Amino acid sequence: MKVTVEQQPKSSVILDIVADDDEFKQAVNRAFRRVNELVNVPGFRPGKAPRQLVEQRVGRDLIVQEAHREVMDDLYRRALEQEDIVPVSDPEVDVYQDEPVGFKVTIQVYPKVDLGDYSTISVEPREVNATEEEVEDVIQNLRKQQSTWVEPDEPRAPVEGDQVILDFEVYEGDEEFHEPVVGADFVLGEGPLFKQIEEAVKFLQPGADAEFDINFDEDDEEVPEQIRGKTLHYKVKLQEVKSRELPEVDEEFLKSINEEYSTIEDLREAIRKDLLQNKVQQSRDEFLDEAFEKFAELASLEVPDGLVDRELEREYQQLGERLGQQGMSMDEYLRMTQKTESDIQSEMRPDVANRVRNSLVLEAFGEAEGVEVTDEDINAEIETMVGDNEQAEQMKELYQSDYFKNMLRSQLENRKITEHLIEHVSGGVGAITGEGKALLDEQSSSAIAESTEVEGSSDDDSSENADADSDEEQAAEAESAGDGDDEAEQKPGE
Amino acid sequence: MQHQDVLRRPVITEKNTRLMEQGQYMFEVARDANKIQIKDAIERTFDVSVRKVNVINVRGKQRRRARRQGRTASTGWTPSWKKAIVSLQEGDTIDLFGDFY
């Protein structure tokens, strides 16, 4: 076997493999014997016909092809081993010579990342603060969410922020476009109603109705795809108009959010923490992204498509599994979103490619800096994970398996290298400054306190934890309400 | 009888390929050909010298063909033929796998 390797861009290589004469002849002989068993020559039992006759009958090519099949797989494997190449894509094979077989294989290989002189890379830490206005916004949203609707003293046309109760029918030409909607309530400016409808409704007195056409532009991103470029005819009847009454920020309001809150300051503090938490997460991601970007640029790292393909395949399967847990099959999901498998994969692709790139950088950085995870680290992590759970011993047992240990190791490695990388590019400052940093410090110190506190009354702890969780949920709800995107509500025109 | 009419076809079977190794070749020949005519035909056609010719008459085999249920099967015969095993002089060969047909 003769192998020559030719490096190609995008971390792919072309292997030129030629079999030795002798080894190939033997392969052809073996191939002949196999073919002979299958060929029917009158006057001969299967496998007993003379070679000349068989070749005349089936053609020499077929026998040579059969020999190729047998020998190429083996040659390819040996070539990979000999040249120490780890492929990450399916090989593209081009046979250019028959006897002895010679072929070129194009494959993408696991890239060898040379980070270059990364000591100069630095990333500006992100300052994370939560302003009073932001806190105030969340409170406003909470109030809006809990607002009550009252009839105005005088009947009047609705304005922005009013609740309207509508009946409507939609036609495309003479055809009904969808089922008529009766008595649906919307908040103007905050609901899912199309702007065109809202504008029309603002001219109506309660009890009045109107008919109008709406032309939806081909490229109107705000409406669902199936109505873009269509003209729909609407018949709308305004039943009622109600104006909003915001609840006062009083004790009752506080209690309705969380039983624990007795003063406005409690609420503010909880919201503030939550805001910071979200922002810290986001800023840290941005910070890391920038860092990876810079590293990749310096290393002029090109991520092989094959590697991305593999990861994409894996994540697509994971998506399927997650859907399965929600009781939905992939096919149903595709029908619901009206997408194809390749649509979804091409949507996922940029993100996945980024992640692959990042993990390549991280791996190379970890190696260059000699970051290692020891068995002690892993055991310590297991201790923390198990904590003072009742089934601590059993859980520990479970975590002792190689599978878990390997998983933990790679997780820990990732975390450790990431921390190290943040240290490095921020000049030891860390990814986050400002109020967010204080929050981070507080959390990590309390985490340590928690893990060192092995004995003690765990009851108190857990109840506190539960409360903290519900705080977060409340604030998260408040935020999603602020987006004004309540998907549960019906969207006209769909 | 012209010599071209004597030889019908070579009989190539597993058994006969073994005979070839000892310089013996089997042919189907005209039913009314005799050993002398066969020897002559082989020598002219393949440019070799023949040492000996053995001939065998092969009786056709009875074949029954099934009829519709309840009727008697009709019987027939596959054709009878004559085969000749030709032994060549030491060193002479005939290439029966070639493309001369």
Side-chain angles (χ1 to χ4, degrees):
Chain A
M1 181 181 63
K2 286 186 291 291
V3 183
T4 46
V5 184
E6 198 183 316
Q7 296 289 340
Q8 295 292 113
K10 275 213 128 182
S11 89
S12 61
V13 296
I14 296 179
L15 292 176
D16 186 333
I17 306 172
V18 181
D20 292 335
D21 260 333
D22 256 12
E23 88 187 319
F24 189 69
K25 274 203 183 109
Q26 281 169 20
V28 172
N29 285 339
R30 284 194 299 273
F32 162 69
R33 259 174 255 139
R34 280 197 303 275
V35 170
N36 201 358
E37 292 289 339
L38 303 173
V39 180
N40 217 347
V41 186
F44 296 88
R45 289 171 294 164
K48 300 293 186 183
R51 181 149 183 178
Q52 222 178 342
L53 266 185
V54 174
E55 280 183 12
Q56 240 175 50
R57 243 182 132 72
V58 302
R60 189 178 161 75
D61 275 358
L62 191 125
I63 296 169
V64 173
Q65 295 302 330
E66 173 66 22
H68 283 182
R69 251 200 297 286
E70 176 202 317
V71 100
M72 278 167 68
D73 217 40
D74 181 50
L75 284 173
Y76 172 59
R77 242 183 277 279
R78 273 161 53 205
L80 288 184
E81 203 168 309
Q82 183 182 321
E83 301 295 328
D84 195 18
I85 287 170
V86 184
V88 296
S89 68
D90 290 335
E92 258 173 59
V93 181
D94 174 31
V95 179
Y96 63 87
Q97 179 183 316
D98 278 339
E99 293 183 64
V101 66
F103 56 104
K104 289 189 174 182
V105 186
T106 312
I107 37 166
Q108 297 176 351
V109 297
Y110 200 85
K112 295 194 169 55
V113 183
D114 178 17
L115 284 179
D117 179 19
Y118 55 81
S119 60
T120 55
I121 291 182
S122 82
V123 178
E124 196 60 34
R126 303 291 197 271
E127 186 170 344
V128 172
N129 294 312
T131 64
E132 286 309 308
E133 288 82 41
E134 286 167 322
V135 174
E136 203 52 50
D137 275 351
V138 177
I139 294 179
Q140 280 308 322
N141 277 326
L142 280 171
R143 286 177 70 196
K144 274 190 183 171
Q145 209 185 4
Q146 304 218 350
S147 51
T148 47
W149 300 100
V150 294
E151 300 247 0
D153 303 332
E154 299 268 318
R156 58 173 175 79
V159 294
E160 201 83 356
D162 277 349
Q163 189 187 47
V164 292
I165 297 176
L166 299 177
D167 302 339
F168 60 87
E169 297 165 29
V170 189
Y171 299 90
E172 183 182 10
D174 292 332
E175 299 270 313
E176 223 173 52
F177 192 69
H178 62 73
E179 297 275 300
V181 176
V182 178
D185 56 83
F186 302 96
V187 180
L188 292 188
E190 291 168 26
L193 273 183
F194 301 141
K195 282 200 188 68
Q196 295 92 325
I197 301 180
E198 292 198 345
E199 287 312 313
V201 167
K202 284 180 188 168
F203 289 103
L204 293 180
Q205 289 292 327
D209 46 24
E211 285 191 35
F212 48 90
D213 288 336
I214 301 179
N215 293 316
F216 293 101
D217 282 343
E218 286 284 0
D219 49 359
D220 191 344
E221 305 260 315
E222 290 176 12
V223 301
E225 234 165 88
Q226 63 261 40
I227 69 165
R228 281 179 207 165
K230 284 188 178 170
T231 300
L232 298 179
H233 184 72
Y234 283 82
K235 287 185 185 173
V236 180
K237 176 169 181 177
L238 178 61
Q239 283 194 359
E240 279 181 72
V241 177
K242 288 179 176 174
S243 63
R244 163 179 268 149
E245 198 156 87
L246 287 177
E248 288 304 311
V249 184
D250 52 17
E251 208 162 299
E252 196 186 334
F253 176 72
L254 291 172
K255 291 278 183 238
S256 75
I257 293 170
N258 188 318
E259 290 288 328
E260 299 286 314
Y261 298 159
S262 51
T263 67
I264 177 78
E265 283 317 311
D266 292 345
L267 178 63
R268 278 177 182 282
E269 198 45 42
I271 291 173
R272 182 184 199 75
K273 259 195 177 160
D274 199 65
L275 279 174
L276 279 175
Q277 186 82 50
N278 288 341
K279 283 183 167 186
V280 162
Q281 190 57 49
Q282 198 188 338
S283 301
R284 188 167 179 276
D285 288 348
E286 281 171 16
F287 178 88
L288 279 172
D289 253 5
E290 188 183 330
F292 284 131
E293 189 76 46
K294 284 183 173 167
F295 267 94
E297 204 172 309
L298 185 72
S300 46
L301 173 62
E302 282 181 284
V303 181
D305 289 337
L307 205 57
V308 180
D309 286 339
R310 279 211 311 211
E311 182 62 19
L312 195 59
E313 191 58 36
R314 215 172 57 89
E315 294 200 10
Y316 187 74
Q317 267 171 16
Q318 281 176 353
L319 174 67
E321 279 163 28
R322 276 202 307 277
L323 287 171
Q325 281 165 9
Q326 293 165 19
M328 190 190 272
S329 77
M330 200 69 210
D331 285 343
E332 281 169 343
Y333 178 73
L334 290 177
R335 253 201 312 281
M336 201 181 79
T337 52
Q338 298 196 325
K339 283 174 186 164
T340 64
E341 179 174 337
S342 62
D343 283 345
I344 292 187
Q345 292 205 349
S346 54
E347 275 171 29
M348 286 164 73
R349 193 175 187 89
D351 279 354
V352 173
N354 241 343
R355 271 199 290 280
V356 172
R357 184 199 67 187
N358 294 354
S359 68
L360 285 174
V361 168
L362 208 55
E363 195 184 325
F365 182 76
E367 211 163 290
E369 294 281 310
V371 179
E372 265 175 35
V373 171
T374 61
D375 285 343
E376 280 143 51
D377 290 337
I378 294 179
N379 288 332
E381 180 69 12
I382 291 177
E383 287 295 332
T384 333
M385 278 168 64
V386 171
D388 44 9
N389 191 295
E390 279 172 32
Q391 277 115 32
E393 283 312 309
Q394 276 148 286
M395 283 173 73
K396 260 186 237 176
E397 197 115 324
L398 186 69
Y399 289 142
Q400 286 306 318
S401 72
D402 280 350
Y403 174 74
F404 263 105
K405 276 200 163 174
N406 283 335
M407 204 169 73
L408 259 184
R409 179 183 291 274
S410 72
Q411 270 176 15
L412 276 180
E413 227 162 44
N414 239 320
R415 206 189 311 163
K416 216 167 163 179
I417 301 173
T418 309
E419 291 304 328
H420 191 75
L421 186 125
I422 290 176
E423 284 289 308
H424 180 87
V425 297
S426 67
V429 178
I432 306 292
T433 59
E435 294 170 18
K437 186 173 172 61
L439 184 80
L440 269 184
D441 290 346
E442 192 183 312
Q443 274 170 355
S444 60
S445 65
S446 71
I448 290 164
E450 218 168 272
S451 65
T452 48
E453 187 190 311
V454 178
E455 304 145 324
S457 52
S458 59
D459 284 0
D460 292 352
D461 265 346
S462 62
S463 73
E464 258 176 46
N465 279 340
D467 288 342
D469 283 349
S470 67
D471 282 2
E472 268 167 37
E473 270 167 40
Q474 282 286 355
E477 259 176 47
E479 249 186 38
S480 72
D483 291 340
D485 235 343
D486 203 343
E487 281 174 49
E489 271 181 78
Q490 204 171 4
K491 199 157 191 161
E494 264 183 357
Chain B
M1 191 163 59
Q2 297 291 305
H3 73 90
Q4 293 94 327
D5 301 329
V6 173
L7 303 177
R8 297 267 191 257
R9 63 178 182 104
V11 180
I12 301 170
T13 65
E14 203 175 322
K15 181 180 184 180
N16 293 342
T17 46
R18 301 178 78 133
L19 287 181
M20 286 177 202
E21 285 159 21
Q22 18 181 325
Q24 297 186 311
Y25 298 83
M26 185 187 284
F27 290 86
E28 179 182 339
V29 295
R31 292 203 68 189
D32 52 359
N34 62 35
K35 289 185 178 181
I36 296 159
Q37 288 168 325
I38 295 168
K39 175 177 177 180
D40 186 45
I42 294 283
E43 288 185 338
R44 282 163 179 252
T45 311
F46 298 107
D47 193 20
V48 290
S49 354
V50 173
R51 184 161 54 85
K52 171 171 98 168
V53 176
N54 299 83
V55 293
I56 307 108
N57 275 308
V58 182
R59 289 281 296 272
K61 295 178 183 174
Q62 195 173 9
R63 289 278 182 253
R64 284 162 177 275
R65 200 172 332 159
R67 283 268 200 90
R68 243 182 259 157
Q69 258 196 333
R71 304 269 190 89
T72 19
S74 68
T75 56
W77 296 85
T78 60
S80 302
W81 52 289
K82 182 183 264 187
K83 72 180 174 189
I85 299 169
V86 180
S87 306
L88 300 186
Q89 291 292 348
E90 199 87 1
D92 282 357
T93 56
I94 300 176
D95 180 15
L96 291 184
F97 298 143
D99 299 306
F100 61 89
Y101 271 88

